Structures are given as C-alpha cells and as structure tokens.
Amino acid sequence: MAKVGLVLEGGAMRGMFTAGVLDVLMENQIDFDGAIGVSAGATFGCNFKSKQIGRTIRYNKRFAGDKRYCSFWNLIKTGDMFGADFCYNQLPNVLDVFDLKTYSENPMPFYVVASDCVTGKPVYKELKTCDEHDLTWMRASASMPLASKVVEVDGYYLLDGGMTDSIPLEYFESIGYEKNLVILTQPRDFVKKISKLMGLMRLALKKYPKLVDAMAKRAEVYNKEKALVFEREKAGKTFVICPETDLGISRTEHNPDELQRVYEEGRNLALARLEEIKKFVKR
C-alpha cells in the first residue's frame, strides 16, 4: 500500500494559508503516513502532529504586534527578527502551550528541512518529541537569511531550509512516500526570480561561499521543484493545494486582520476541495 505524505512549503506569514488548510484537515480527521515542513511549514505544521486545531492562527494573531515575537527591535538586539527565546521557549511552554504529549504519541513522522551553511546542501531531520533540542532544529529551518543568526546544532551550522529545498517532494518520495498532498503558499503561475538582495547576502554570508552559491541558484531550483510538483499532479501522484492568486501578505505581517484573511483563504479552498482530498488520501 502506498504511503501518503504531506509536504508543506514555507513562506513566513504566507503560512497562515497553510494553517487554514491544516485545520480543515484536522477537523475532518484526515491523516497522513508522514509529513515534512520547511521554514514556516515546519513551525506551523508541527501543530498538525500535535493535533492542535486553531493554535497557529490563535497565537499569531495574539502576538502579531508584540515586538518580542517579530520586530526590527529583536533583530537589532539579538540578531534574530523572530525572537528565539520568545518563539521557541516562552510561547510553546507558557503563553500558548504546545501539546508535547500528543505530538510524541502521534506515530506520524514529522520532518523539517534546514540548510547547511558549510556545504550549501539541505539537511533533513525527523523531530520525534519536539523537545528543546528538536525546537532548535525547527528554529534553524525557519531562520531566514539576513533576518537571523546562524543556528548551531549537532555539529551543523544551519539557516532556513527554503534556501536549498523549498518544496521537498523529491526527498519525501525518496524515503518511500509515493503519494503526497502538497500545500504551496504561492499560486500556480508564480515564477521565482533571483533575489534583489543577492548582493547583500554575498556580503553577509561571505563565510559560507557554498551557501551563497546555493542562494544564487535558488530561483532555478525552486522553479524546477514546482514543475515536479505539477508533473506529479498530472500523474495522480500529488494533490496540490495552493492560493488561486498572490496572497498579498507581508512575510512579517503584523495586522491580525490580514493574518485572518489569509487563514480563511486556506480554509475555504480546503473545504471546497474536501471530498477530492478525502478520495486522494484514501488507503
């Protein structure tokens, strides 16, 4: 029997779209044999394994305007725009408690993707418990270049997984997931272009020339990955959920109404295609 996977693209606050889709999946008891998330796909997708419907949109709206969560104040003070202690300690342990017990007991494997600064290659890590060590890997997966410090863990120097593998469908297929529901946060016709900040990245990441090279090729790699997703869709191997048009939301959006709007867009699209989804994931 084919294993069915769930693949979650990142995109910072575009991830509210993903959160809306995932909540609908949970509300309808749709599960998977494994899941993998990149950047925001990791930090928001972990709530799917812990089965916490509504948690992602709830805490994002609650803390959208809190400088401890995401701000240039954080960036200047700590080197991380998204406050590391606030996001990966205070928030999950005190302010909106993450269900570690349910996460650990859920048999579905959950993987994250980070980028190895030294090799310029993606690194894949299964997070089995979401304890403090696992959360360091999750933080690495979501540590955007120019807005985050390099994360050191298990001998690696890591940054955002989207720098090297934004849509890890090929990896998931390679470890046995033959059918995959893929949630993208860009519309079908989106074509990535070389970043306008490439010059600044060359300067900021000069210690890591292979990562700089990977970033220079990121648009090309991303567009090929996206083409693979739709190629597999034609073959009946993927089911793709993505926005119908550009979401029009800032990567660091602070307006709760905008977060809710994008979340509802994800919900509405998932609800509209719910029967198709159920048919696709049926074993």
Side-chain angles (χ1 to χ4, degrees), residues 228-279:
L228 177 67
V229 168
F230 293 121
E231 178 185 311
R232 294 288 194 268
E233 183 185 45
K234 290 179 181 178
K237 296 294 186 180
T238 67
F239 188 101
V240 184
I241 300 181
C242 61
E244 295 178 348
T245 58
D246 188 289
L247 290 171
I249 189 170
S250 165
R251 293 177 65 84
T252 56
E253 183 62 62
H254 295 297
N255 184 341
D257 292 337
E258 280 296 286
L259 299 178
Q260 185 70 38
R261 174 185 66 80
V262 172
Y263 170 79
E264 292 296 339
E265 187 165 334
R267 282 193 62 89
N268 291 338
L269 191 52
L271 287 168
R273 304 192 67 188
L274 187 57
E275 294 309 312
E276 295 176 75
I277 295 169
K278 287 179 179 179
K279 183 177 180 181

Side-chain angles (χ1 to χ4, degrees), residues 19-50:
V21 176
L22 294 181
D23 280 355
V24 169
L25 298 180
M26 286 190 279
E27 289 164 2
N28 288 275
Q29 294 81 50
I30 296 173
D31 58 9
F32 298 85
D33 298 307
I36 187 167
V38 183
S39 195
T43 57
F44 300 158
C46 62
N47 294 294
F48 186 81
K49 182 171 166 66
S50 67

Side-chain angles (χ1 to χ4, degrees), residues 167-183:
I167 312 170
L169 173 62
E170 189 170 15
Y171 171 75
F172 231 34
E173 290 180 337
S174 77
I175 61 171
Y177 294 90
E178 299 174 42
K179 294 177 61 180
N180 292 280
L181 188 148
V182 181
I183 303 178

Side-chain angles (χ1 to χ4, degrees), residues 207-243:
K207 281 179 60 178
Y208 306 109
K210 290 185 179 180
L211 187 63
V212 171
D213 289 344
M215 279 300 293
K217 299 173 184 174
R218 186 188 178 199
E220 177 186 350
V221 170
Y222 178 89
N223 293 331
K224 286 181 178 178
E225 289 184 336
K226 194 170 180 184
L228 177 67
V229 168
F230 293 121
E231 178 185 311
R232 294 288 194 268
E233 183 185 45
K234 290 179 181 178
K237 296 294 186 180
T238 67
F239 188 101
V240 184
I241 300 181
C242 61

Side-chain angles (χ1 to χ4, degrees), residues 50-69:
S50 67
K51 301 182 179 181
Q52 289 177 275
I53 299 170
R55 181 174 181 268
T56 301
I57 185 63
R58 181 176 66 238
Y59 78 70
N60 274 281
K61 288 178 66 178
R62 179 181 173 189
F63 297 112
D66 193 317
K67 67 180 182 180
R68 298 171 299 169
Y69 183 39

